[in-house]
Amino acid sequence: MITALGGGVGAAKFLEGLASVSADESLNIIVNTGDDITLHGLKISPDIDTVIYRLSGMIDKKKGWGIRGDTFFCLGELKRQGQETWFNIGDRDLGTHIYRTHLSAQGHSATEIASKISRAFGIDKRINIVPMTDTGVETWIVTDQGEMHFQEYLVKRHMKPSVIKVYIKNIDRAFPPPGVINHIKESQAVLICPSNPIISIGPILQVKGIREALKSTSAKVVAISPLIGGASLKGPADRMMKGLGLEVSSTGVARLYRDFIDIMVIDDQDSDEAPQIEELGLDTLVVNTVMSDVEKASGLARAVLGLL
Ligand code: FO1
């Protein structure tokens, strides 16, 4: 059994590679839900959906999120009726949000909903996609232009405001869904996907008991850096780390995880960082972490599994 923690486009790409090279292994994927947002009365869980769309082969590969070939007629109509439409929800994607909202109104938990949507998309039963918590949480960003939901910072404001602080609303009430702590403790390996350490992995680590379980598990805990040459390939990890006064490098990421990981995986381009990461008491693996296609993602996953 392998457990992975992640959220966002990079995690989904890595998980597609991991799923393809671990065919007989059961895979638990604990997904960030801090990015969740309610828009037009619908419950949207972007990081869960990005993993489901990717693993089902339906992802829009160019964008890294949403469904390939989707249309936007409904959004156009909402715009015509004077609604805010900065968050681009496609017509087919809308089906997922309607189904999620309907199941939630019937009393199903986020865990049950993720499982039902996974099955509806034909995801193999050995792959268990689980939200980090069933309790509603939201990632908010304090910026020089005021406080806003993470999606507003990312999508509506195009990451332009300077980040001062990040906090997760209601995180103190969030506990993991049943089984998650045991999965961390009983897995052969726990993988921290190449995701934003502040807004994708950070919220998961703040859910009650998760960081402690990672510290105490006998599993090998391996993190893959989302940064290459001090920059993120996509998304705001670099500018957020800078805004928060953190060192923007794989070493900076390793420092955030050093209390619970055994091995840090960094890109070939950052090989000169290996000695300083090892000084933190961690092992390193230096490989190509750029996942430009599924073969590269599989190669990265194979290299990571080779550590076990
Ligand atoms: N990302 C964007 O940059 N622009 C969008 O309009 C957008 C819409 C969207 C709709 C559904 C969905 O599941 C994801 C969507 N994303 C969009 C991606 C999402 O904001 C981010 O990938 C994650 O939240 C980052 O972890």
Side-chain angles (χ1 to χ4, degrees), residues 120-147:
F121 275 80
I123 307 276
D124 195 319
K125 277 212 159 115
R126 78 180 170 100
I127 301 178
N128 185 19
I129 300 169
V130 197
M132 67 184 198
T133 179
D134 282 328
T135 321
V137 293
E138 275 183 7
T139 300
W140 277 65
I141 316 290
V142 181
T143 77
D144 60 344
Q145 292 170 37
E147 284 189 29

Side-chain angles (χ1 to χ4, degrees), residues 7-9 32 35-36 44-50 53 63-66 72 85-90 93 97 150-151 154-156 158 196 199-200 234 236:
V9 172
N32 170 47
D35 290 16
D36 288 13
I44 304 172
S45 202
D47 284 359
I48 293 268
D49 293 346
T50 299
Y53 295 166
K63 290 195 296 213
W65 49 267
F72 291 84
T85 54
W86 52 267
F87 199 69
N88 294 289
I89 304 169
D93 188 26
H97 313 318
F150 168 69
Q151 297 296 353
L154 180 78
V155 180
K156 187 176 179 183
H158 307 289
N196 185 321
I199 51 88
S200 300
K234 194 172 169 34

Side-chain angles (χ1 to χ4, degrees), residues 29-285:
I29 306 173
I30 306 172
V31 182
N32 170 47
T33 56
D35 290 16
D36 288 13
I37 189 164
T38 300
L39 290 169
H40 315 295
L42 299 173
K43 287 168 103 60
I44 304 172
S45 202
D47 284 359
I48 293 268
D49 293 346
T50 299
V51 174
I52 293 176
Y53 295 166
R54 175 68 71 170
L55 295 187
S56 65
M58 289 183 70
I59 196 92
D60 180 328
K61 285 194 175 162
K62 205 161 163 217
K63 290 195 296 213
W65 49 267
I67 295 179
R68 191 176 54 245
D70 215 345
T71 52
F72 291 84
F73 292 107
C74 184
L75 204 71
E77 181 55 22
L78 284 167
K79 190 172 186 182
R80 197 189 66 78
Q81 294 187 28
Q83 300 302 300
E84 274 204 80
T85 54
W86 52 267
F87 199 69
N88 294 289
I89 304 169
D91 298 320
R92 298 178 73 186
D93 188 26
L94 197 59
T96 307
H97 313 318
I98 292 172
Y99 186 31
R100 170 175 291 111
T101 307
H102 179 59
L103 288 170
S104 176
Q106 287 180 330
H108 290 282
S109 68
T111 302
E112 289 164 348
I113 296 170
S115 166
K116 283 179 184 291
I117 298 176
S118 297
R119 301 289 96 84
F121 275 80
I123 307 276
D124 195 319
K125 277 212 159 115
R126 78 180 170 100
I127 301 178
N128 185 19
I129 300 169
V130 197
M132 67 184 198
T133 179
D134 282 328
T135 321
V137 293
E138 275 183 7
T139 300
W140 277 65
I141 316 290
V142 181
T143 77
D144 60 344
Q145 292 170 37
E147 284 189 29
M148 59 196 79
H149 189 287
F150 168 69
Q151 297 296 353
E152 180 175 345
Y153 162 77
L154 180 78
V155 180
K156 187 176 179 183
R157 312 277 197 115
H158 307 289
M159 308 183 275
K160 287 200 179 111
S162 295
V163 175
I164 297 167
K165 197 180 145 193
V166 175
Y167 69 97
I168 324 291
K169 280 193 181 169
N170 295 326
I171 195 71
D172 48 338
R173 286 195 249 140
F175 49 89
V180 160
I181 297 292
N182 281 345
H183 287 148
I184 293 176
K185 291 194 169 163
E186 289 161 15
S187 284
Q188 186 197 354
V190 180
L191 310 179
I192 314 297
C193 291
S195 297
N196 185 321
I198 310 300
I199 51 88
S200 300
I201 303 298
I204 307 178
L205 298 175
Q206 289 181 55
V207 175
K208 215 160 271 131
I210 291 201
R211 197 173 195 121
E212 290 67 26
L214 288 167
K215 282 190 204 174
S216 65
T217 181
S218 52
K220 272 244 179 309
V221 184
V222 184
I224 301 113
S225 175
L227 298 183
I228 299 177
S232 35
L233 290 181
K234 194 172 169 34
D238 46 4
R239 55 186 93 192
M240 292 189 117
M241 288 179 78
K242 186 164 181 258
L244 297 174
L246 299 165
E247 182 188 320
V248 190
S249 67
S250 294
T251 311
V253 178
R255 284 207 183 95
L256 296 173
Y257 298 160
R258 65 182 292 189
D259 57 319
F260 64 86
I261 65 168
D262 301 298
I263 306 171
M264 188 78 200
V265 180
I266 61 172
D267 190 73
D268 290 322
Q269 291 177 49
D270 294 329
S271 58
D272 56 336
E273 288 189 46
Q276 63 206 47
I277 294 174
E278 283 159 17
E279 268 173 35
L280 299 172
L282 304 172
D283 288 334
T284 55
L285 172 71

